[in-house]
Amino acid sequence: MLDHVGIKVSDFIRSRDFYTASLGALGIKLLAEFEYEGVTSAGYGNDRGPTFWLGTGKMLRAGDTHVAFKAPSRSAVEAFYTVALAAGGRDNGPPGLRPHYHPDYYAAFVLDPDGNNIEAVYVGPAGGKP
């Protein structure tokens, strides 16, 4: 349904480093980085191309964004959380089941350097395929 999602950041280098480390734990890579008409951008994704973008520019209100990234396993959710905290993120919900969403909804939440709520989620049984 979505082609890509973009968020504005207040400190491009700090945010780029945070997302490169945190999303790397989910197998998501920095694929593009450029400046155009005074806006610096970075695109993250996989072999299908970038689908998540950071950019400089005027932020409407810091911390209003929530983005959830699909993880390949519960252990990847845990790795994301650990790496994201080490990269400067702040805890917003440790890895665990969130059965109010789905009985097998396993997620972790971290606030990025601008206070945006970033989630890694795996929906499926422990050790199994969703």
Side-chain angles (χ1 to χ4, degrees):
M1 182 167 87
L2 297 175
D3 181 71
H4 64 276
V5 173
I7 65 171
K8 302 286 186 199
V9 297
S10 63
D11 182 328
F12 181 78
I13 300 300
R14 180 180 67 173
S15 293
R16 183 200 60 202
D17 293 349
F18 169 81
Y19 281 102
T20 298
S22 302
L23 297 182
L26 301 175
I28 301 168
K29 297 180 171 111
L30 175 63
L31 299 177
E33 186 174 338
F34 59 88
E35 185 173 336
Y36 179 72
E37 295 186 351
V39 174
T40 304
S41 299
Y44 294 83
N46 56 26
D47 59 343
R48 293 187 185 108
T51 57
F52 178 72
W53 289 88
L54 307 178
T56 59
K58 184 178 178 185
M59 297 175 66
L60 296 177
R61 198 166 88 190
D64 280 347
T65 303
H66 172 210
V67 178
F69 293 93
K70 188 180 287 190
S73 65
R74 289 184 181 188
S75 62
V77 170
E78 293 160 4
F80 160 84
Y81 180 78
T82 299
V83 172
L85 292 180
R90 292 175 287 136
D91 171 57
N92 199 31
L97 286 169
R98 302 319 197 267
H100 51 286
Y101 296 136
H102 182 279
D104 291 323
Y105 195 102
Y106 192 85
F109 301 85
V110 176
L111 298 176
D112 78 358
D114 287 303
N116 295 303
N117 186 22
I118 307 304
E119 175 184 359
V121 59
Y122 172 77
V123 180
K129 300 280 183 188

